[in-house]
Amino acid sequence: MTTDTILPPSCRSLRVAVLGAGLMGAPMARNIAAAGCQVSVWNRSADKASALAAPGITPAADPAEAVLNASVILTMLKDANAIAEVMLALPDADSAPAAPVCWLQMSTVGPADMSGLEMLAARKGLTLIDAPVLGTRQPAEAGQLLVLAAGPDSTKEAVQPVLDAVGKATRWLDTAPGKATRLKLALNSWVFALTHGAAESLALARSLGLDPELVADTVRGGPLDTPFFQMKAQAMASGDFTPAFTIDNAVKDSALIVEAALETGVKLDLAEAGLNRYRRVQAQGRGGADMAATFLA
Ligand code: NAP
């Protein structure tokens, strides 16, 4: 047995391909490189990938170039369609010279998308790890995401250094993909309910002739308060909707929640109403604004 097989893998021995350098993918790529991994990064709009060029981070011209010699592929793309488009551009398992082993799928998708992702993984000779994250742009920048993970035990050691680089903790939930995505959707339902609840409370206050900030001030430090509520209330009161999580992605995830509810037969009134609010804001041309812009619905 060589020393390499005794020591747990560190980031220094890993080549990681990050596909998708949006609000989340870009800081995640930076943090993985900062932990010592060799990162190659690809993004559909090439300027976002080239902006990341630095020691340890190499922009790639296409997805196939990005994954060359990588042992971990990380996808942080908009949705299942984008993931399929990008992953189909990779060489198939039988034509791949040295197939990367692990695919950390960290974008938010729906439970119904999971079988398609598993088929893609099989076709490309990859082991799929379902690993969505909790936390928006700021925790992503700070490497403080909470990773929900489901995948074979045999892959944990190989991918843990990458997950440790992007997150403060990893919650391993299952040895097969699926459970992490289902939990992520349930958690997003709570995140959206909080955001819409804050928006309606502040909007009502304003319509009653009150300063909306009074709502946030009054609950501060009490049992109704959360840091998330304060952050979103501040954005709403100040009108600063710099995106941490866009309205476009909130529409996408709210639709996934409503679709999952239809499939399972549970009645989710708030999710449907919340989806309508986000769609109204999107129709105002504010798809790139932060989800706190539900205040403007
Ligand atoms: P984002 O800034 O909108 O980035 C989306 C990424 O997907 C970009 O790299 C975009 O490329 C790419 N993309 C979209 N359609 C594509 C296509 N057809 N082909 C190839 N690439 C495509 O979103 P984000 O906030 O980084 O989120 C990424 C994923 O993480 C989403 O699934 C989101 O729901 C999830 N998530 C986000 C947060 C958050 O707070 N932001 C938190 C947890 C999870 P271009 O740059 O070329 O458009």
Side-chain angles (χ1 to χ4, degrees), residues 46-156:
D47 55 324
K48 291 186 193 167
S50 35
L52 290 170
I57 310 187
T58 310
D62 55 51
E65 182 184 311
V67 305
L68 210 61
N69 301 321
S71 51
V72 177
I73 295 174
L74 186 163
T75 44
M76 201 56 179
L77 296 158
K78 179 169 184 179
D79 56 16
N81 287 339
I83 296 165
E85 217 172 285
V86 171
M87 295 304 284
L88 281 169
L90 302 187
D92 284 347
D94 49 6
S95 63
V101 184
C102 298
W103 172 15
L104 278 173
Q105 202 310 99
M106 305 188 81
S107 336
T108 305
V109 297
D113 297 316
M114 205 47 66
S115 58
L117 296 179
E118 286 181 271
M119 277 192 277
L120 262 175
R123 177 167 164 185
K124 302 296 169 183
L126 307 172
T127 304
L128 176 64
I129 298 132
D130 169 30
V133 295
L134 200 60
T136 61
R137 180 169 53 84
Q138 295 86 346
E141 286 169 355
Q144 292 291 304
L145 296 166
L146 174 60
V147 182
L148 310 172
D153 281 340
S154 57
T155 61
K156 280 188 188 176

Side-chain angles (χ1 to χ4, degrees), residues 23-24 43-45 48 76-78 108 136 244 249 252:
L23 282 176
M24 299 292 282
N43 194 71
R44 178 180 62 176
S45 313
K48 291 186 193 167
M76 201 56 179
L77 296 158
K78 179 169 184 179
T108 305
T136 61
N249 280 333
K252 182 254 305 180

